[in-house]
Amino acid sequence: MDRICGIVIFLLGAGIFWQGRGLSMGNLRAPGPGFFPNLVAFGMMILSPVLIIPGKKGEGEAFSTKSMFRVGLVFVVLLAYSFTMEYLGFVVMSFLLMIYLFKAFGGSQRWSLAVLWALISVGLTYVLFDIVLDANLPRGLLGV
Amino acid sequence: MDLLHNLYMGFSVALIPVNFFFCFVGVFLGTLVGVLPGIGPGASIALLLPVTYTLRPETAVIMLAGIWYGAQYGGSTTSILVNIPGEASSVITCLDGYQMARQGRAGPALGISAFGSFIGGTLSVIGLMLLGPWLARYALRFGAPEYFSLTCMSLIILSFLSRGSIIKCYISALAGLFTGLIGTDSIYGVLRFTYGSLTLSDGVGIVPVIMGLFGVAEVLTNIEQEEIRDIFKAKIKNLFPSLKDWKDSIGAIIQGSVLGFFLGIIPGAGPVMASFTSYAVQRRLSRHPEEFGKGAIAGVAAPETANNAASTSGMIPLFSLGLPSNVIMALFLGALMIHGITPSPFLVTEHPQVFWGVICSMYVGNILLLILNLPLIPMWVKLLKIPYGILFPLILLFCLIGVYTLNTNSYEILIMLIFGGVGYLMRKTGFEGAPFCFAMIIGPLMETNLRQALLQSRGNLGVFFTRPISAVVMGIACLLLILQLVPMVRKKSEVIKEQEDS
């Protein structure tokens, strides 16, 4: 596990170098915008072999495919929410999201209960943020 | 006389009904998030930041500070009753606190941690009051080299906090430094790593990152865990510790106050380090070290006092140097900046109502917390019975709305989710979120001061070692770095880790 992390860190450092190549380094008298990013990237690349080489055993939990799938699914749903929320409106999307989340986290929770909880939570937050705090939550295409 | 005059002004600010009300709201919410797992003071202060825009600056900080030190009180309750630390700074309290609860002494354990917190918090406020203005006058002599040295030292100190691998902690910090650099370069105004994104040209906001790393990631990690909770059922009685309990723990409380106060001032240290160190010191000092881990009341009193003292004294660097000493202080800095107040050595003289008002509100807040915590413990315990299946979706919903309303920008949600995912992977692979966040905040400060120092000295790196204050700070930083490389320190941190695991 550590070895993979080390490689990822090394690539990240190299990536910063590569992406930051357009920024001028400057010199010690007048360090340019690229000076500090390169310093940071250099640090990452120097430290990463410490993780790669010894390949310590046992550290870090193993990822089980089952749990990764559950977490991944929730994550993808949240991402989808962030992309669609402004177009389809806060109330509608949050309501759907909350039904999903209550089902996903609650395990054996019944549908009716999940819908009820979603209704209460979205309703209360809508009143609190949109009406009391005047936060202008997006209404979206449906106008709600 | 000056002090009395200032105190009078401070209390007249703190006791205005509006400020008193928000102080109460702050400590109440603080206790709440301290008790509830899954959301900590960082994420909740980040969440409430937009709400404070409409308040006066002192009122905003009074409330946010209340959440901060209130969470230190609340965190101990769950450590003692269910062996689940509500906050990182209460991890060590589990050792003896939970043992006491199992022996039927939950009452005195909760009582001593509330009184200890009160004493530690109050002594620390007195220290803040005396030391803050003095340090602010001294800080006028600080230039770019001094600030750079201080930020270097704080990053090194932070790595001592790491519970796992020190290398991973440094890597985490480097990644944080990089994230802090995204956006517009402070000296030349060049856009860096923004790829044409308007949202990114302002830099990656600290609020979405904190909510991602500490809110979303926490929830994601919990999805895969089965719900195993052993709610404490026995009745809690005798909240007031007996005379013997007081005798056993008074030394620990005094030690915890002093140690917590000084560790809190050091940028990069803070309540977590204070509670661990204080526990270790107390065991060393004790005449019965074998009792520790088996329900020694001093083992509850020392860390709980220390974390409160440290959370208060952590404001000293912010108010007198303008240097945030931890993630929470960075959020306070953000709250003040919104109102056009830049924390600097001039803050005490230019905005006395903020400095003295906040200090005096902390006396008030500590008393409110004592009242909230002692008689109301049964109510907080009931909150623990909220099933995770309800609690976690709600936390996610609050994070989503909170981060969106920050700028009415759905890209902020995306940033939060990305860091939520990154935070989840970091947890699974043994990297910690705290160094990342801290480095991200300190990064721009570090870069600007490094570059300014080099510009002023015409590229002479010696400037960090020849100016007296800078030299002392750099010296300490180098010394700490050397200490870290010595394997002995390594072993020590493993011992602490083992204690924590057991």
Side-chain angles (χ1 to χ4, degrees):
Chain A
M1 201 69 219
D2 270 2
R3 194 163 285 177
I4 301 171
C5 291
I7 294 169
V8 171
I9 300 295
F10 186 83
L11 292 177
L12 201 63
I16 296 172
F17 259 128
W18 174 250
Q19 290 295 321
R21 70 192 182 284
L23 301 167
S24 97
M25 257 303 262
N27 52 30
L28 270 185
R29 279 166 178 245
F35 184 72
F36 204 67
N38 283 337
L39 214 62
V40 171
F42 184 66
M44 286 170 124
M45 289 164 81
I46 290 253
L47 287 182
S48 62
V50 184
L51 289 182
I52 300 172
I53 294 163
K56 267 188 281 171
K57 51 188 184 315
E59 250 191 82
E61 295 163 58
F63 290 93
S64 77
T65 34
K66 196 183 151 211
S67 69
M68 277 302 270
F69 182 74
R70 282 187 73 183
V71 174
L73 195 65
V74 172
F75 188 67
V76 169
V77 168
L78 288 172
L79 278 182
Y81 173 85
S82 83
F83 286 120
T84 52
M85 194 265 267
E86 281 201 319
Y87 303 104
L88 296 176
F90 168 79
V91 175
V92 178
M93 288 316 291
S94 303
F95 181 60
L96 294 176
L97 176 78
M98 290 311 277
I99 294 178
Y100 167 74
L101 287 179
F102 281 125
K103 279 299 280 182
F105 283 83
S108 55
Q109 213 157 54
R110 273 180 296 139
W111 273 103
S112 52
L113 214 60
V115 172
L116 182 72
W117 271 108
L119 211 61
I120 297 174
S121 57
V122 175
L124 281 180
T125 43
Y126 179 77
V127 169
L128 180 68
F129 281 90
D130 202 82
I131 297 172
V132 179
L133 293 173
D134 206 12
N136 255 332
L137 296 168
R139 292 178 188 282
L141 289 173
L142 304 172
V144 239
Chain B
M1 276 328 275
D2 247 12
L3 187 65
L4 281 181
H5 172 75
N6 287 327
L7 275 179
Y8 174 75
M9 181 187 64
F11 273 109
S12 59
V13 171
L15 292 175
I16 296 174
V18 180
N19 290 340
F20 184 77
F21 173 73
F22 278 101
C23 180
F24 174 77
V25 171
V27 294
F28 183 84
L29 286 176
T31 313
L32 181 73
V33 300
V35 170
L36 291 176
I39 189 160
S44 38
I45 289 176
L47 209 69
L48 283 170
L49 212 52
V51 178
T52 64
Y53 294 170
T54 50
L55 302 175
R56 292 187 56 76
E58 60 269 23
T59 315
V61 179
I62 283 172
M63 181 178 82
L64 298 179
I67 298 177
W68 171 225
Y69 56 77
Q72 312 297 333
Y73 274 73
S76 59
T77 310
T78 48
S79 290
I80 292 167
L81 292 181
V82 282
N83 206 15
I84 299 171
E87 302 308 327
S89 53
S90 313
V91 169
I92 202 89
T93 313
C94 288
L95 293 182
D96 284 284
Y98 187 59
Q99 288 304 322
M100 283 183 74
R102 287 184 56 183
Q103 293 159 13
R105 299 197 350 108
L110 291 165
I112 204 76
S113 63
F115 282 113
S117 296
F118 175 76
I119 297 170
T122 311
L123 287 179
S124 195
V125 176
I126 296 174
L128 166 60
M129 184 177 80
L130 298 174
L131 198 63
W134 177 80
L135 195 65
R137 277 197 295 277
Y138 192 68
L140 290 175
R141 279 185 259 165
F142 278 34
E146 281 77 21
Y147 275 101
F148 177 71
S149 306
L150 266 177
T151 52
C152 280
M153 183 181 79
S154 60
L155 280 181
I156 291 170
I157 291 175
L158 190 73
S159 67
F160 275 86
L161 204 73
S162 126
R163 279 180 257 143
S165 146
I166 290 174
I167 291 294
K168 285 183 175 180
C169 179
Y170 277 117
I171 290 178
S172 213
L174 283 169
L177 280 179
F178 171 70
T179 312
L181 295 179
I182 296 174
T184 312
D185 169 29
S186 59
I187 295 183
Y188 291 96
V190 184
L191 288 176
R192 295 188 290 188
F193 307 101
T194 57
Y195 305 104
S197 156
L198 207 62
T199 312
L200 284 184
S201 66
D202 264 350
V204 178
I206 185 69
V207 175
V209 172
I210 289 178
M211 294 220 262
L213 283 181
F214 297 119
V216 178
E218 173 84 32
V219 175
L220 288 178
T221 325
N222 273 293
I223 300 176
E224 53 186 55
Q225 277 161 4
E226 295 298 316
E227 193 169 333
I228 320 159
R229 273 188 302 169
D230 180 20
I231 298 287
F232 190 75
K233 288 186 190 76
K235 232 180 161 183
I236 302 157
K237 50 183 189 219
N238 296 333
L239 278 173
F240 285 90
S242 68
L243 208 63
K244 184 179 177 300
D245 291 336
W246 274 111
K247 231 181 81 197
D248 286 344
S249 50
I250 191 72
I253 289 176
I254 293 168
Q255 179 266 111
S257 304
V258 175
L259 199 75
F261 177 76
F262 286 104
L263 280 177
I265 299 176
I266 301 170
V272 183
M273 191 186 273
S275 62
F276 277 85
T277 317
S278 172
Y279 184 84
V281 168
Q282 194 56 39
R283 194 168 58 172
R284 191 72 48 85
L285 290 177
S286 169
R287 258 171 279 159
H288 307 284
E290 72 282 355
E291 284 175 8
F292 278 74
K294 291 180 190 143
I297 196 161
V300 176
E304 278 308 312
T305 311
N307 67 23
N308 261 72
S311 68
T312 304
S313 64
M315 296 190 188
I316 292 178
L318 177 71
F319 281 152
S320 49
L321 302 175
L323 189 75
S325 54
N326 56 42
V327 177
I328 312 284
M329 292 307 123
L331 292 171
F332 286 12
L333 186 107
L336 286 170
M337 299 273 264
I338 296 273
H339 293 284
I341 298 176
T342 316
S344 71
F346 300 106
L347 183 117
V348 182
T349 41
E350 280 177 7
H351 300 280
Q353 85 284 6
V354 173
F355 182 77
W356 294 104
V358 171
I359 284 185
C360 293
S361 84
M362 292 202 277
Y363 288 108
V364 179
N366 273 303
I367 295 169
L368 283 174
L369 277 169
L370 203 57
I371 300 169
L372 268 179
N373 273 268
L374 285 183
L376 294 181
I377 278 175
M379 184 188 95
W380 300 118
V381 175
K382 278 211 186 76
L383 273 176
L384 278 174
K385 292 181 181 158
I386 300 177
Y388 284 4
I390 308 266
L391 184 64
F392 286 131
L394 288 179
I395 291 175
L396 277 180
L397 181 66
F398 272 114
C399 287
L400 288 169
I401 302 180
V403 87
Y404 179 80
T405 49
L406 203 62
N407 287 324
T408 331
N409 183 347
S410 68
Y411 285 109
E412 302 276 6
I413 298 185
L414 191 61
I415 293 174
M416 175 182 81
L417 290 177
I418 290 170
F419 280 98
V422 169
Y424 168 74
L425 293 176
M426 280 168 70
R427 270 164 204 244
K428 296 293 276 185
T429 50
F431 289 88
E432 285 171 78
F436 182 95
C437 268
F438 183 68
M440 181 187 157
I441 295 154
I442 214 104
L445 260 169
M446 208 173 169
E447 190 201 11
T448 312
N449 284 305
L450 171 66
R451 284 164 68 184
Q452 273 174 359
L454 286 176
L455 276 172
Q456 285 161 11
S457 72
R458 306 214 170 81
N460 178 9
L461 286 171
V463 69
F464 300 113
F465 298 95
T466 47
R467 294 177 48 134
I469 300 171
S470 177
V472 169
V473 176
M474 270 295 185
I476 296 173
C478 291
L479 197 73
L480 289 172
L481 201 62
I482 294 166
L483 268 176
Q484 229 168 21
L485 297 174
V486 177
M488 250 179 64
V489 182
R490 212 28 237 195
K491 257 182 207 149
K492 221 184 234 167
S493 73
E494 265 163 30
V495 171
I496 293 176
K497 204 183 156 199
E498 271 168 29
Q499 287 164 358
E500 187 199 317
D501 288 346
S502 60

